[in-house]
Amino acid sequence: MKVALIGVGQAGGKVTERLTRFDAEMGYGAVQGALAVNSAEPDLQSLEFADTLLIGADRVNGHGVGGDNELGTEVMQSDIQQVLGALDGRVTSSAEAIFVVAGLGGGTGSGGAPVLVHHLQQVYDVPVYALGVLPGRNEGALYQANAGRSLKTIVREADSTLLIDNDAWHEQGESVEGAFDTINGKIAQRVGLLFASGEAVEGVGESVVDSSEVINTLRSGGVSVLGYASEVASEDSGENIRTAMSVSRQALLTGTSLPDATTADSALLVIAGEPERIPRKGVERARRWLEDETGSMQVRGGDFPLDSDRLGALVLLGGAERSDRVQEFMNRAREANRAQEREEERSDPAEQFADDRLENLF
């Protein structure tokens, strides 16, 4: 699947960088162009694989918007023509989709990404998707409130919004910086494999997935979810029927980017591995199980030939916004927003010193 990537904000830039690097190192050739856009200049300086563009220099002088996503929206709106101009030559005629990547809890990403998606929809006739990273539970009320408002807007603007929950893919006991690095690595591997579907580089699969099946799975719009799991496989495909079922179950039930999201309008199951290790019966059985589990009659399936001694399952769900996890997050975001409003309603601390009922000391 040929894609163009646009990262917005710090998290969006880092994820775009990792995805582009993964695609280059694996030799898939799925990423046709990558641009990282930010209002904070230092965040752009460490990026090597993605091209960079500073926005909002006249407003924030390269220092970022400080978590203020309303300011992030204004900055993107002001410089939108500059951003669209920078995409010339990066969104080529071979691109089958555009992905706007952003952390939904910060300022530039959560405020700017929905604006950019809106304008891209007016300019390009390929699907425009969002890849949004939700803040973890411990990342503070500002991030929760930002993400709630951003998610509500971007789901309306994008053809589909692939959600990654920061609480889903980090390892226990990691530092904050280490956790983000782990999450970004897992996003790059999983989303990179999704992009590479149909761009087979090793062998020929019996039923190779192509980009149209990814696009059709995402056609239902709303929220999409990605799951992945893998196990060491036998060289004999007949012995891998249970393995195919096992990795498919893990990918959906314990390995998704949005835990507990199993209800969907459509789904895609990709079994990755050496063609001679992939069991036909196992793939078909796993696909039927996925139909039952998701309640969807639109479950597509196929192979992704890969030079590996492991068998992997990649599960993509489309139209998963009815899941309990999405509802739980939106409730958390609303509560965080109310808490912020209560805080803002409190009087300015300086006003107590202007109280006429108290006499001045001098």
Side-chain angles (χ1 to χ4, degrees):
M1 184 177 185
K2 305 291 188 185
V3 300
L5 301 179
I6 310 166
V8 185
Q10 183 186 43
K14 286 186 175 181
V15 172
T16 296
E17 171 83 357
R18 290 291 288 270
L19 268 167
T20 308
R21 189 175 81 193
F22 175 83
D23 185 72
E25 290 174 349
M26 297 298 289
Y28 292 144
V31 177
Q32 298 294 286
L35 178 69
V37 181
N38 205 339
S39 61
E41 192 169 14
D43 293 338
L44 295 173
Q45 292 172 346
S46 62
L47 305 183
E48 299 175 17
F49 286 81
D51 297 323
T52 61
L53 177 66
L54 181 68
I55 59 172
D58 56 336
R59 295 286 300 275
V60 295
N61 200 31
H63 298 305
V65 299
D68 183 343
N69 68 349
E70 290 185 359
L71 181 54
T73 296
E74 293 171 15
V75 162
M76 182 63 78
Q77 286 174 330
S78 297
D79 289 358
I80 190 64
Q81 293 306 320
Q82 182 185 354
V83 177
L84 294 175
L87 295 176
D88 286 347
R90 295 185 176 91
V91 181
T92 64
S93 59
S94 62
E96 297 165 290
I98 301 170
F99 275 79
V100 175
V101 186
L104 299 185
T108 305
S110 71
V115 176
L116 179 56
V117 169
H118 175 81
H119 284 276
L120 291 170
Q121 294 281 24
Q122 316 303 315
V123 176
Y124 296 99
D125 60 0
V126 296
V128 179
Y129 302 123
L131 193 165
V133 182
L134 293 177
R137 287 182 175 83
N138 62 347
E139 287 186 54
L142 173 64
Y143 293 95
Q144 310 297 327
N146 278 354
R149 297 175 69 193
S150 183
L151 179 59
K152 186 177 179 181
T153 311
I154 208 165
V155 165
R156 184 183 69 232
E157 298 293 341
D159 287 300
S160 183
T161 301
L162 176 57
L163 282 187
I164 314 287
D165 187 336
N166 258 347
D167 287 333
W169 286 345
H170 76 274
E171 307 292 339
Q172 294 297 323
E174 285 185 310
S175 66
V176 173
E177 195 62 38
F180 287 147
D181 192 58
T182 298
I183 293 163
N184 290 347
K186 290 185 175 181
I187 293 172
Q189 181 196 32
R190 288 151 172 75
V191 179
L193 283 174
L194 178 66
F195 291 163
S197 295
E199 303 293 331
V201 291
E202 295 287 344
V204 178
E206 190 165 317
S207 176
V208 175
V209 173
D210 64 26
S211 57
S212 68
E213 290 171 282
V214 177
I215 290 170
N216 286 332
T217 302
L218 298 175
R219 196 178 299 281
S220 48
V223 169
S224 50
V225 177
L226 189 63
Y228 177 78
S230 71
E231 289 182 9
V232 174
S234 169
E235 292 184 5
D236 180 1
S237 65
E239 296 178 15
N240 290 331
I241 294 175
R242 289 179 62 184
T243 305
M245 275 298 299
S246 174
V247 292
S248 299
R249 290 175 62 87
Q250 289 176 53
L252 180 67
L253 301 179
T254 64
T256 60
S257 60
L258 196 68
D260 307 321
T262 58
T263 302
D265 293 333
S266 56
L268 172 67
L269 172 66
V270 181
I271 299 295
E274 292 182 348
E276 60 271 17
R277 294 178 191 251
I278 297 176
R280 294 292 110 222
K281 287 183 180 178
V283 173
E284 185 54 33
R285 191 178 297 176
R287 195 182 66 78
R288 289 198 303 269
W289 173 82
L290 192 59
E291 278 185 2
D292 294 338
E293 197 68 22
T294 60
S296 170
M297 297 303 292
Q298 295 186 61
V299 178
R300 300 166 178 84
D303 305 345
F304 178 43
L306 196 63
D307 184 14
S308 173
D309 63 350
R310 302 179 74 85
L311 208 61
L314 197 68
V315 173
L316 176 67
L317 304 182
E321 60 273 8
R322 295 190 307 277
S323 79
D324 292 342
R325 188 58 168 243
V326 174
Q327 190 59 51
E328 176 193 328
F329 173 77
M330 291 305 290
N331 290 340
R332 198 162 77 227
R334 277 190 286 268
E335 180 53 40
N337 194 54
R338 282 194 290 267
Q340 277 195 300
E341 288 174 350
R342 288 194 295 269
E343 187 70 28
E344 289 168 4
E345 285 171 3
R346 294 178 186 172
S347 61
D348 184 341
E351 287 182 2
Q352 62 187 309
F353 298 108
D355 191 339
D356 291 335
R357 292 170 297 179
L358 292 173
E359 292 184 10
N360 292 327
L361 184 59
F362 296 105

